C-alpha cells in the first residue's frame, strides 16, 4: 500500500480551506487508517463504528487485540451517542480539561461503536484532542475516530510525522503531517466509573491539576508497583522501548561518568540521556540532552524523539538520568521506567 502524506500548515485557519483534510477525512469515512497529529502524540485513526476499519489499526500496529482504543471526538454531542456521561464529576472534567490531554473511561452504551474498539469491555475511553488538525479532521469526517498512538506496538510513541512514517510507511493509507506535537507524552487516562476517579495512566494532565478541580483522585497501584496488575489493559505491556538496553542510573554525576567509562572499556558504545543543564558534564559516545530539568514539560515534549534518536545511533547501552515524580514528571518517569523495563542502577 502506498502511504499518502498530506502536509498541513497549522498556522493557517484550517476551518475555511485545507483540501488535504477533506481528502484525509474521506479516507476515514471509507474505513481506511489515517495518522494525524494531536497535542500529545500522533494518533492512528479509523472509523470507531466500523469493525473492518478498527481491525486495520490493530493489524498496522501489531497491537494485541485485548488492548482497547481511545475514541476521539470534536464535539461533546458526539459523546452522548455512545457513552454515559451522567456523572457530575465527568461534566466538570469535560468543562475544565477538554479539549486537552485527558482521556475519560466511561460506561459504554452498546450497539454504536465496534466492540473491537473497547476490546469487549463495557467501558469506553474517550477524549477531545486540543489540536486544530485533529479537531478539524474529526469534524469533517463526522464520525468518532478510534486512535491509539501511531507507533508499532512496543515502540516509543511518535511525536513527529517522520516517526509515524518510520514505523508505518506502506502499512496505512495516509499521514497528516502537522509538525511536531506539543505535550509529547500521551494523555492521562482516568476511570470515572466508580465513586472516586482512578488514574489508569499518568499523562499530560497531572494528578495535582485533577485534584484541584474534583478533589480526591487515586492512582492505580498497578502503575507504580510492577508486581501489581494494572487496571488498564495497555499498561501491562512493555512499551516505548528503544532497541539498545536502557537503564535509569541514580547517583551523582561523577559516579555516572565512571560507570559510562567502565562500560566503554568493555568495547561498548554508550549513550547518556540527560538534560541541557548537565550535558557538558558527561563524556560518552552520545550525550543527548532532552529539554531542561527545571522545566519538566520540555523533557516530556522531547522524550520520545530522544529515545528514537538515540536508537538511530546504534548504541550498545543507554543510561538515563531519573526525574522527580511530581507534576508531569510522574508521566515522564512512568514512560522512562517502562522503556527501561524497570532496570535501575544505583551508583
Ligand atoms: O494521548 C493519547 O492518549 C494518544 C493520542 C493519539 O490521543 N493515544 C494513546 O492511545 O495513547 P493508546 O492506544 O496508545 O493508549 C490507550 C490507553 C491504553 O493503555 C489502553 O489500555 C487504555 O488507554 N484504555 C483504552 N480503553 C480503555 C478502557 N475502556 N478501560 C481502561 N483502559 C482503557
Ligand atoms: Mg500507545
Amino acid at each position: 500500500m502506498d502511504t499518502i502524506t498530506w502536509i498541513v500548515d497549522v498556522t493557517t485557519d484550517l476551518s475555511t480551506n485545507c483540501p488535504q483534510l477533506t481528502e484525509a477525512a474521506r479516507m476515514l469515512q471509507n474505513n481506511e487508517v489515517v495518522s494525524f497529529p494531536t497535542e500529545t502524540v500522533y494518533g492512528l485513526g479509523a472509523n470507531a463504528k466500523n469493525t473492518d476499519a478498527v481491525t486495520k489499526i490493530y493489524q498496522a500496529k501489531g497491537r494485541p487485540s485485548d488492548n482497547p482504543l481511545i475514541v476521539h471526538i470534536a464535539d461533546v454531542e458526539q459523546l452522548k451517542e455512545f457513552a454515559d456521561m451522567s456523572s457530575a464529576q465527568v461534566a466538570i472534567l469535560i468543562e475544565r480539561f477538554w479539549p486537552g490531554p485527558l482521556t475519560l473511561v466511561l460506561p459504554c452504551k452498546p450497539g454504536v461503536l465496534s466492540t473491537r474498539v473497547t476490546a469487549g469491555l463495557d467501558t469506553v475511553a474517550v477524549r477531545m484532542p486540543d489540536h486544530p488538525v485533529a479537531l478539524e479532521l474529526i469534524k469533517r469526517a463526522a464520525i468518532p475516530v478510534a486512535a491509539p498512538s501511531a507507533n508499532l506496538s512496543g515502540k516509543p510513541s511518535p511525536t513527529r510525522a517522520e516517526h509515524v512514517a518510520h514505523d508505518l510507511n506502506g502499512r496505512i493509507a495516509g499521514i497528516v503531517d502537522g509538525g511536531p506535537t506539543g505535550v509529547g507524552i500521551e494523555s492521562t487516562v482516568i476511570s470515572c466509573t466508580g465513586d472516586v476517579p482512578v488514574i489508569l495512566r499518568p499523562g499530560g494532565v497531572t494528578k495535582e491539576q485533577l485534584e484541584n478541580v474534583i478533589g480526591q483522585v487515586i492512582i492505580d497501584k498497578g502503575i507504580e508497583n510492577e508486581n501489581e496488575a494494572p487496571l488498564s489493559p495497555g499498561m501491562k505491556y512493555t512499551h516505548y522501548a528503544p532497541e539498545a538496553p536502557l537503564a535509569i542510573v541514580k547517583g551523582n554525576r561523577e559516579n555516572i561518568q565512571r560507570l559510562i567509562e567502565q562500560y566503554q572499556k568493555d568495547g561498548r558504545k554508550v549513550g547518556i540521556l540527560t538534560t541541557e543543564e548537565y550535558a557538558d558534564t558527561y563524556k560518552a559516545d552520545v550525550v543527548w540532552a532532552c529539554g531542561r530539568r527545571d522545566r519538566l514539560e520540555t523533557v516530556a515534549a522531547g522524550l520520545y524523539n530522544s529515545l528514537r534518536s538515540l536508537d538511530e545511533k546504534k548504541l550498545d547501552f543507554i543510561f538515563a538520568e531519573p526525574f522527580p515524580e511530581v507534576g508531569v514528571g510522574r508521566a515522564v518517569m512512568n514512560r522512562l521506567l517502562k522503556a527501561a523495563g524497570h532496570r535501575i542502577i544505583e551508583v
Side-chain angles (χ1 to χ4, degrees):
M1 177 191 298
D2 281 336
T3 302
I4 305 171
T5 301
W6 299 279
I7 295 176
V8 171
D9 179 358
V10 291
T11 62
T12 60
D13 178 10
L14 301 179
S15 66
T16 50
N17 209 320
C18 203
Q20 304 93 305
L21 286 182
T22 302
E23 216 182 297
R26 200 168 304 131
M27 287 269 193
L28 288 173
Q29 289 169 334
N30 290 340
N31 301 324
E32 293 298 338
V33 171
V34 170
S35 176
F36 59 92
T38 79
E39 81 282 34
T40 57
V41 300
Y42 272 74
L44 191 59
N47 180 358
K49 294 183 171 181
N50 184 279
T51 296
D52 288 343
V54 175
T55 301
K56 288 180 191 169
I57 293 181
Y58 284 92
Q59 282 167 346
K61 276 187 68 106
R63 182 177 178 106
S65 60
D66 68 345
N67 190 4
L69 308 176
I70 297 174
V71 178
H72 294 65
I73 55 170
D75 185 330
V76 179
E77 283 302 311
Q78 275 182 295
L79 178 60
K80 295 178 182 156
E81 206 192 339
F82 59 85
D84 172 4
M85 44 180 295
S86 53
S87 119
Q89 261 171 349
V90 167
I92 297 171
L93 289 172
I94 288 175
E95 168 66 26
R96 172 65 184 78
F97 294 107
W98 280 8
L102 183 69
T103 294
L104 304 175
V105 173
L106 303 171
C108 186
K109 294 183 187 167
V112 181
L113 303 176
S114 162
T115 52
R116 287 221 74 182
V117 170
T118 52
L121 300 174
D122 56 6
T123 54
V124 59
V126 58
R127 84 180 191 98
M128 188 190 293
D130 187 14
H131 194 288
V133 171
L135 289 173
E136 188 59 29
L137 178 65
I138 300 166
K139 203 169 125 202
R140 290 193 198 185
I143 42 175
V145 175
S149 48
N151 49 288
L152 282 175
S153 214
K155 292 285 149 205
S157 294
T159 53
R160 299 165 184 227
E162 303 90 88
H163 299 162
V164 180
H166 178 271
D167 281 17
L168 297 173
N169 210 5
R171 300 170 73 97
I172 59 174
I175 302 171
V176 184
D177 181 349
T181 62
V183 178
I185 45 171
E186 301 88 339
S187 62
T188 301
V189 179
I190 187 167
S191 169
C192 303
T193 55
D195 292 337
V196 181
V198 185
I199 293 178
L200 304 181
R201 177 178 73 180
V205 172
T206 65
K207 179 173 187 267
E208 294 82 351
Q209 285 175 304
L210 291 165
E211 285 185 329
N212 278 339
V213 175
I214 51 166
Q216 193 196 5
V217 173
I218 300 170
I219 298 189
D220 172 20
K221 285 204 285 297
I223 296 176
E224 289 175 345
N225 179 352
E226 59 169 320
N227 300 318
E228 197 116 10
L231 293 172
S232 178
M235 295 302 283
K236 68 174 181 278
Y237 295 106
T238 317
H239 259 107
Y240 321 115
E243 299 286 340
L246 170 74
I248 294 171
V249 57
K250 292 186 173 169
N252 69 44
R253 287 188 295 285
E254 292 78 50
N255 289 349
I256 296 176
Q257 180 59 42
R258 226 167 282 139
L259 185 70
I260 293 170
E261 284 161 19
Q262 233 171 40
Y263 272 62
Q264 285 178 319
K265 252 189 222 131
D266 295 339
R268 280 181 280 200
K269 228 178 132 182
V270 180
I272 171 94
L273 180 62
T274 176
T275 53
E276 284 166 24
E277 289 96 328
Y278 303 134
D280 285 348
T281 64
Y282 290 113
K283 285 196 179 62
D285 294 286
V286 178
V287 178
W288 190 276
C290 174
R292 288 195 62 86
R293 179 167 283 277
D294 58 4
R295 286 180 53 221
L296 285 177
E297 67 279 10
T298 63
V299 177
L303 183 65
Y304 291 142
N305 184 51
S306 301
L307 291 176
R308 283 179 178 263
S309 301
L310 282 164
D311 234 11
E312 279 170 11
K313 310 281 185 199
K314 303 286 170 226
L315 298 164
D316 297 304
F317 215 93
I318 304 168
F319 295 116
E321 290 180 338
F323 295 93
E325 295 189 43
V326 290
V328 78
R330 216 179 256 122
V332 168
M333 275 309 281
N334 170 265
R335 306 305 194 272
L336 208 47
L337 276 163
K338 274 174 164 280
H342 287 267
R343 193 179 356 224
I344 298 173
I345 301 175
E346 304 215 16
V347 290

